[in-house]
Amino acid sequence: YHAGMILRRAILLLLLLTNLIFCLLYRKFIFGNGVYLYADVGCDSLTSSYPILSLLARMFSSGDLTAYSLNFGAGADISATYLQYLNPVKFLMIVFGEKNLPLMIMVSTFLQVNLLSLFGFFFFRLLLKNKTAALLSSLAWTFSGYVVLWGQNYSFLTCILLFTVSMFFLQAYLCGLPRKIS
């Protein structure tokens, strides 16, 4: 019973910190001062992703779910693009229509950040056997500049996760922690 209570407190603290950081990072968008939520560093969010999302939302609302569109670039197969948004968190951006796209980007980013934070916590807790180390690693991983709403795929996120784990073990070795850990 006591271990379960400690785990719930750790998860509550994780979500509190995750959402506090989220609100600090995206405050301009949350409070209406920003026109678009940047989850990555490049400008491809506005020049590429937003127009694609608008097109997919229009197509979804009209029921025109064709595999090829002349409105996509110079005419292209969009079936692969749809597959990118079958993730339930990203699918919200298409389902609620083009008018609600900025809000749905915000909701999707919020959900994704929280899910990544929880996944990272449980993964690092399993690996590190320490709730504090798991909490800090999870936050570092969740708010890494490479974790973006779109653009990077899951194999890239896996590489980042493995890199974080490798860095932890290297740090453990350099700090002289017992061989069992390092």
Side-chain angles (χ1 to χ4, degrees):
Y1 173 75
H2 184 64
M5 182 66 97
I6 292 172
L7 178 62
R8 282 191 288 265
R9 284 184 186 161
I11 291 171
L12 184 61
L13 179 61
L14 171 74
L15 291 175
L16 180 70
L17 289 172
T18 299
N19 290 302
L20 180 66
I21 294 168
F22 180 84
C23 288
L24 287 172
L25 291 175
Y26 299 119
R27 67 186 175 276
K28 285 186 178 179
F29 187 81
I30 292 169
F31 297 112
N33 296 329
V35 293
Y36 191 75
L37 177 71
Y38 280 98
D40 59 359
V41 178
C43 69
D44 59 338
S45 294
L46 280 177
T47 60
S48 166
S49 297
Y50 199 85
I52 290 169
L53 277 170
S54 295
L55 172 69
L56 294 177
R58 275 194 310 271
M59 290 175 72
F60 186 82
S61 66
S62 70
D64 182 23
L65 302 174
T66 60
Y68 188 87
S69 174
L70 291 172
N71 295 323
F72 185 69
D77 173 21
I78 58 169
S79 58
T81 307
Y82 262 123
L83 293 177
Q84 178 183 354
Y85 293 100
L86 289 181
N87 170 341
V89 174
K90 291 183 177 185
F91 195 61
L92 291 172
M93 294 184 283
I94 296 172
V95 170
F96 285 96
E98 190 179 12
K99 278 195 283 185
N100 298 315
L101 194 52
L103 178 62
M104 287 301 105
I105 289 172
M106 185 70 199
V107 169
S108 294
T109 304
F110 176 79
L111 290 173
Q112 179 177 324
V113 163
N114 280 281
L115 289 172
L116 282 170
S117 186
L118 283 172
F119 171 78
F121 175 76
F122 286 110
F123 176 82
F124 287 117
R125 187 174 135 253
L126 179 70
L127 184 73
L128 306 175
K129 310 288 189 224
N130 181 312
K131 290 180 186 71
T132 305
L135 180 94
L136 296 174
S137 299
S138 175
L139 289 173
W141 184 61
T142 301
F143 292 102
S144 162
Y146 296 102
V147 178
V148 295
L149 184 59
W150 44 66
Q152 307 302 336
N153 57 38
Y154 298 110
S155 62
F156 192 66
L157 290 176
T158 305
C159 290
I160 292 169
L161 189 60
L162 293 174
F163 174 75
T164 307
V165 170
S166 301
M167 293 306 292
F168 170 80
F169 284 129
L170 176 63
Q171 184 67 33
Y173 175 75
L174 294 175
C175 289
L177 291 177
R179 288 213 181 268
K180 187 177 180 183
I181 294 173
S182 57

